[in-house]
Amino acid sequence: MFRRENAGDEGLLPKNTDNSFSTDVLEESSDFTAFLAGAELKQDDSSPSLAADCPAVSQSPSNHNEDVTTDSWRSRRKHVFVLSEADGHTIVFLQKGPLMLVSASKSHQSELQLRSELLHVYHQIVSMLTQASINRIFQHRKNYDLRRLLFGSERVLDTLLDVMETEAGFLLSAVQCLPLAPSARDALSQILQKAVTPNLVLSILLINGQLISIVQEKMVIEDARLKPTDLHLLLNLIRASSAFQTGEIWTPICLPCFNPDCYFYTYVAYLDPPDCTVCLVLLSTDKEAFHALAECKRKIEEGIRTHNALQCISKAQQCQVHHVGVAELSHFLFKPLDIPDHHSQLPQFTSPDVEAPYSTEEEQIYLMDLYWHLHSRIHSTSRPLKLLYHATQRETLLAWVTGKFEMYACFSPLVTKSSAIGAVTKLLRWIKKEEDCLFIRSPLKYSTTPPEARGFSNGRVQPNRQDKSDSSVLSLL
């Protein structure tokens, strides 16, 4: 693929002094292309012949109109495509092992951002099949049609593509927590901490895609902690399949950023049927642990009833932009960067509910496009910025990155740069005041399994490799 740059095009073809192409030039160009079309390929007799090594090259003009769906077209040794920018798309390629992923986008995202989206799609496929299985399949059959294994997973991938359009967690590589009083969150975390069993690695409590609480086995060390991408993919898988709302589900799930070649055995159950908003996810390295984890769920439900925690969760108020007390502020994204490393917590962000004038899905995508644009400018590989002020006819935006935070704020139009910075200062004060409610500052841990026990090796959690008896998560879709 050739990319035409704006600068330098003027010297490619001769021009008249009035900057328009002359009739003579067009006629000469036509004569030249006609000459090329009728030219014969001549070979120096002294040159070695390649006829025995290469497919025959036909000079028939009919090749120009050959049907690209035919076997003869597909069998040709090489194809070269020349594209122009007139289509208005950015085309990005990503090769991961035997798979080639392609994005053709009309959005405002940069090539780096589009490539990140393709990587999420690849990781979602890996979460269902594992990377080792994919590589093994294509080592045996390079022309294998992977759609056969992914049959029924179309909704998972479609949902992923949809949520990446509107959810800021993918932009910021972070997860969002439900705003909750620290005492209530601590009580829920302690309930999870007490309901454990050998080889249980992670206990996660979620509501509508937001994190309520997470506790983890102490053996989950630095290079084996849960990554935001893994949680996003896990959430998307649960959200995309109605099977998870039917009862207790036990299925192998791969967390690609944790270990792309192995499965965790995952217990998923909603704690508030039939609403199905509060979801419990337990991950184990033991494929026979279903009944043990079901007992953990029973203990958690008992603890939640004792503390009346479901009512507390339902009453938790989602962050609203008017809580900040800045009249000009329409929306914001905030990600703290100064979290002590020993907390071993997931990167998190906070953001208010999207309100008018961005209430519809179309307007939310428009707003996210603006954030994607600011993000690409701030994190430009050629010219990174710390502060960016951007004004449109409909809104004014400010992006600001320091060693302590990354922020994107959207204001009403006509707000000046100095006014925007002053408003952001007020916003930062409000976030500092509410940070214990907005973020999980010190996640709890537990210890259930000695290092020499099954599932642990050299101090690291080792998910189990799928054997032939494992039922794939695809059976749920």
Side-chain angles (χ1 to χ4, degrees):
M1 178 181 70
F2 293 92
R3 292 197 61 193
R4 177 177 62 81
E5 301 292 343
N6 292 329
D9 285 353
E10 298 175 357
L12 295 180
L13 291 174
K15 291 185 178 181
N16 285 335
T17 56
D18 63 355
N19 293 327
S20 62
F21 291 116
S22 69
T23 304
D24 291 341
V25 170
L26 293 175
E27 290 177 351
E28 289 174 1
S29 299
S30 299
D31 292 341
F32 182 65
T33 55
F35 165 75
L36 290 178
E40 295 183 0
L41 180 64
K42 295 184 178 180
Q43 178 177 308
D44 186 347
D45 292 339
S46 62
S47 302
S49 174
L50 300 179
D53 300 320
C54 300
V57 180
S58 171
Q59 298 304 310
S60 171
S62 64
N63 291 341
H64 299 165
N65 300 318
E66 187 175 4
D67 186 354
V68 298
T69 64
T70 62
D71 291 338
S72 61
W73 187 88
R74 294 173 181 271
S75 65
R76 296 196 180 278
R77 184 166 179 260
K78 183 184 297 183
H79 296 280
V80 176
F81 301 92
V82 180
L83 308 178
S84 73
E85 292 182 341
D87 295 332
H89 287 77
T90 300
I91 301 176
V92 174
F93 296 82
L94 175 68
Q95 183 160 8
K96 296 295 293 183
L99 301 183
M100 175 71 77
L101 297 91
V102 184
S103 174
S105 172
K106 295 176 67 176
S107 72
H108 297 281
Q109 294 163 274
S110 67
E111 292 183 12
L112 186 62
Q113 291 167 341
L114 292 173
R115 192 166 285 109
S116 176
E117 283 194 352
L118 291 178
L119 187 59
H120 276 94
V121 173
Y122 171 74
H123 282 155
Q124 188 75 79
I125 295 173
V126 170
S127 74
M128 297 180 281
L129 301 178
T130 77
Q131 183 175 270
S133 296
I134 295 172
N135 291 336
R136 185 166 58 249
I137 288 168
F138 284 95
Q139 284 174 358
H140 288 86
R141 290 183 58 187
K142 293 187 179 297
N143 63 342
Y144 184 81
D145 188 349
L146 197 63
R147 289 175 297 183
R148 295 172 58 185
L149 280 181
L150 292 174
F151 180 77
S153 67
E154 295 85 354
R155 185 175 179 183
V156 175
L157 298 176
D158 287 344
T159 302
L160 176 65
L161 294 172
D162 288 339
V163 297
M164 285 193 293
E165 291 277 306
T166 57
E167 291 194 3
F170 293 92
L171 170 70
L172 298 174
S173 298
V175 299
Q176 186 172 12
C177 294
L178 175 73
L180 199 61
S183 58
R185 198 186 307 275
D186 288 345
L188 287 165
S189 297
Q190 289 171 13
I191 291 173
L192 296 182
Q193 188 184 38
K194 293 176 181 177
V196 296
T197 189
N199 297 311
L200 177 63
V201 176
L202 286 166
S203 301
I204 308 171
L205 198 59
L206 307 153
I207 179 169
N208 293 329
Q210 294 185 336
L211 188 62
I212 299 175
S213 179
I214 180 171
V215 297
Q216 60 188 21
E217 163 67 50
K218 288 181 180 180
M219 299 302 295
V220 182
I221 60 174
E222 166 66 22
D223 62 346
R225 67 174 68 164
L226 185 67
K227 304 296 193 299
T229 293
D230 286 333
L231 188 54
H232 289 318
L233 298 175
L234 181 59
L235 284 172
N236 183 64
L237 194 64
I238 295 172
R239 170 173 41 207
S241 175
S242 59
F244 287 100
Q245 299 180 10
T246 60
E248 301 169 290
I249 299 298
W250 179 247
T251 182
I253 293 178
C254 175
L255 302 182
C257 294
F258 192 106
N259 189 326
D261 297 326
C262 302
Y263 281 110
F264 277 109
Y265 297 94
T266 307
Y267 177 94
V268 181
Y270 282 93
L271 304 183
D272 62 339
D275 295 336
C276 293
T277 59
V278 180
C279 183
L280 174 67
V281 181
L282 306 175
L283 291 92
S284 173
T285 58
D286 184 0
K287 64 177 295 184
E288 305 296 337
F290 171 79
H291 294 292
L293 295 188
E295 177 62 18
C296 289
K297 182 240 186 181
R298 188 193 63 78
K299 293 179 181 178
I300 291 169
E301 285 183 313
E302 181 179 329
I304 286 178
R305 282 194 300 269
T306 301
H307 291 81
N308 201 20
L310 280 182
Q311 185 177 1
C312 178
I313 293 172
S314 64
K315 288 183 177 180
Q317 191 173 22
Q318 180 60 44
C319 175
Q320 304 288 331
V321 71
H322 66 82
H323 293 160
V324 181
V326 178
E328 304 88 355
L329 185 64
S330 301
H331 194 260
F332 69 88
L333 307 174
F334 179 88
K335 176 183 177 181
L337 302 176
D338 60 342
I339 300 172
D341 187 65
H342 69 270
H343 284 173
S344 300
Q345 68 184 59
L346 285 163
Q348 300 164 42
F349 79 100
T350 188
S351 177
D353 276 343
V354 181
E355 302 174 8
Y358 308 106
S359 302
T360 67
E361 182 179 356
E362 181 179 356
E363 291 295 337
Q364 290 176 27
I365 293 175
Y366 166 78
L367 179 61
M368 279 304 303
D369 278 346
L370 292 173
Y371 286 146
W372 281 109
H373 174 69
L374 295 179
H375 185 273
S376 66
R377 293 282 306 280
I378 283 284
H379 294 283
S380 170
T381 54
S382 59
R383 190 187 175 191
L385 303 173
K386 293 182 179 291
L387 185 67
L388 177 61
Y389 175 81
H390 179 73
T392 74
Q393 292 182 345
R394 296 179 51 183
E395 57 271 306
T396 298
L397 299 105
L398 187 74
W400 194 2
V401 177
T402 72
K404 294 184 176 181
F405 63 83
E406 180 173 353
M407 171 181 284
Y408 303 86
C410 179
F411 301 92
S412 55
L414 304 181
V415 172
T416 64
K417 184 176 181 179
S418 59
S419 298
I421 292 176
V424 163
T425 302
K426 294 180 182 178
L427 173 58
L428 290 174
R429 292 198 192 104
W430 179 84
I431 292 174
K432 182 64 177 177
K433 177 183 175 182
E434 301 291 334
E435 64 180 0
D436 289 337
C437 294
L438 299 174
F439 307 107
I440 298 176
R441 304 297 294 180
S442 301
L444 298 181
K445 296 184 179 182
Y446 55 84
S447 179
T448 63
T449 313
E452 64 273 10
R454 189 176 73 136
F456 293 83
S457 174
N458 297 326
R460 295 188 180 186
V461 177
Q462 297 292 333
N464 288 336
R465 296 188 178 275
Q466 182 193 31
D467 62 35
K468 295 181 179 179
S469 63
D470 289 335
S471 61
S472 170
V473 69
L474 293 176
S475 63
L476 299 172
L477 305 176

